[in-house]
Amino acid sequence: MNKIKLGIIGMGRMGITHYSIINSHPDVEIVSVADTSKMILDILKKYVPDLQVFKDYKELIDASKPDAIIVCTPPNLHYEVCNYACEHDIHVFCEKPFTANIEQAKELKEKFAAKSLINQVGYVNRFNDIFMTVKKYINEGLIGNIVRFRSEMFTCTVTKKEETESWRSFRENGGGAVYEIAAHAIDLVDYLIGKPDKIVGTSMNQIYSKHVEDIVSSTFVYNNGTSGTLYVNWCDTSYRKPANKLELFGIKGKILADQHGLKIFLNADDLQTGYKKGWNTVYITDVFTSVDFYVRGNEFTRQLYYFADSILKKESGNKCDFSAGYDAQYVMNQLFVDSESNKLN
Ligand SMILES: NC(=O)c1ccc[n+]([C@@H]2O[C@H](COP(=O)([O-])OP(=O)(O)OC[C@H]3O[C@@H](n4cnc5c(N)ncnc54)[C@H](O)[C@@H]3O)[C@@H](O)[C@H]2O)c1
C-alpha cells in the first residue's frame, strides 16, 4: 500500500478535527467524506473540490472504496457503520463511546478480531504524554501496589435547560454524561488499573437535562483488594475545558495527575527515576514528545497517526482497539444497571 485511501463518516465537530489532523499525514489521502447535512457537504465541496462527498455512508464505502475510515457520527450509528466497514474489509477508527449498546460492542469486537483489520476507539487519553508516563510509572512499581484511586472528569458541556434536543439528550443515541464524558474517565481506569470486577454505589443526578444524567459517581471494586471511585459532572461551569483528574494511592507513594502535569509523593527516594522522598512535580514539557501537526493536544494527533501507521506497517495497532472499547462499554452498562438498582423509588 503506497498511501492509505481514507474516508471520514460524520463531519461534525470531531469529523472536522480528525480531518485536519490526518490530512497532515504524508501517507494518507482523504478521498471521501459522508454526512447527512447538505450544508456541511456543500462547504467541503466548495473548499476541497477533489473530495468525494456522500450523504449516505454506504455509498461512500461502495463508490470511493477506502482502505480505512474514521467514524464520527453520533454513537448510536457507530455499530452499523463499523459493521458495514468490516463486511467490506476496511480498517476502522471509531470515536468513543464505541457503541450505544453493550451487545453491539461485543459483536463488533469479535467480528474485527476475526479479521486482520486495524480497529481503534478514540479514547484519546491513552495517547496523552502525562497519562502514558503515569502508566509507565505504575508498571515500573514507582508507587507500589495501588490500594485506592479516584478518576474524575469535569466539563461545561450542558450549562442550561435544553431549548432544542440533540443526540446528546438521549441515552439510546449515545447521549448523557456517562457516554459522553465518563467514558474517558472509565477508559483511563481500564488503561491504568484494569477493568473493575464489581461496581457498587452508583448514583446519577440531573441538573439541566430532561432525559439523561448530568452527574455520575460510583465505586469500582477489584478482586485483589484495590478499590476506587468515579466522579463525573458535565455541567460544571468552573471548568472552561474538559479536565481529567486522577489520584492514585499506592503502598510506596501517591500520584496526582491531569492532562497537563503530575505530582508524585514518594515515601522514599527512587533510584531508577531520581525522584526524591516527598513531593516531585513533573510538567508536560518534561515528558512530552512532539507531533508533526498540532490540533487540540498532542494526543489527538498521536492517536490518529498510530492508527495510520498501524495500517501502513501492518502492526497489530492494539493500544486502544475494539476490545478496549468493549471494556469501557461493559463498565458503562454496569453503571446504568447499578444506578437503577440503587433508586429509592
Ligand atoms: N474524543 C473526544 O474527545 C470527543 C469529543 C467530542 C465528541 N466525541 C465523539 O465523537 C462523535 C461525534 O461527536 P461530535 O461532537 O462530532 O458530534 P456532532 O453532532 O458535532 O457531529 C456528528 C455529525 O454526524 C453527522 N451524521 C448524523 N447522522 C449521520 C449519518 N447517518 N451518516 C453520516 N453522518 C451523519 C451529523 O450531521 C454531524 O455532522 C461522538 O461519538 C462523540 O461522543 C469525542
Side-chain angles (χ1 to χ4, degrees), residues 200-221:
V200 294
T202 307
S203 69
M204 301 190 185
N205 308 75
Q206 286 181 321
I207 304 174
Y208 303 117
S209 299
K210 224 190 295 175
H211 314 290
V212 291
E213 69 290 340
D214 292 317
I215 299 180
V216 58
S217 66
S218 187
T219 299
F220 294 177
V221 187

Side-chain angles (χ1 to χ4, degrees), residues 243-258:
N244 276 96
K245 289 173 176 280
L246 272 182
E247 179 175 318
L248 309 171
F249 182 89
I251 53 167
K252 288 164 63 181
K254 171 166 143 175
I255 289 178
L256 303 179
D258 63 21

Side-chain angles (χ1 to χ4, degrees), residues 117-132:
L117 291 170
I118 302 298
N119 51 93
Q120 191 175 329
V121 181
Y123 285 118
V124 67
N125 282 323
R126 291 188 185 222
F127 296 85
N128 172 277
D129 292 290
I130 294 290
F131 295 131
M132 289 193 305

Side-chain angles (χ1 to χ4, degrees), residues 9-16 18 34-37 40 54-57 71-78 80-81 95-97 122-124 166-168 174 179-180 184 296 300 303:
I9 295 169
M11 285 301 289
R13 195 163 54 130
M14 285 317 293
I16 288 169
H18 287 324
D35 200 290
T36 42
S37 158
I40 289 177
F54 299 92
K55 277 199 122 175
D56 183 336
Y57 73 87
V71 183
C72 301
T73 61
N76 58 319
L77 298 166
H78 292 179
E80 60 168 82
V81 179
E95 256 309 336
K96 48 57 60 181
Y123 285 118
V124 67
S166 73
W167 63 264
R168 283 193 171 77
Y179 280 145
E180 265 301 271
H184 285 296
R296 282 186 69 173
F300 282 90
Q303 69 169 352

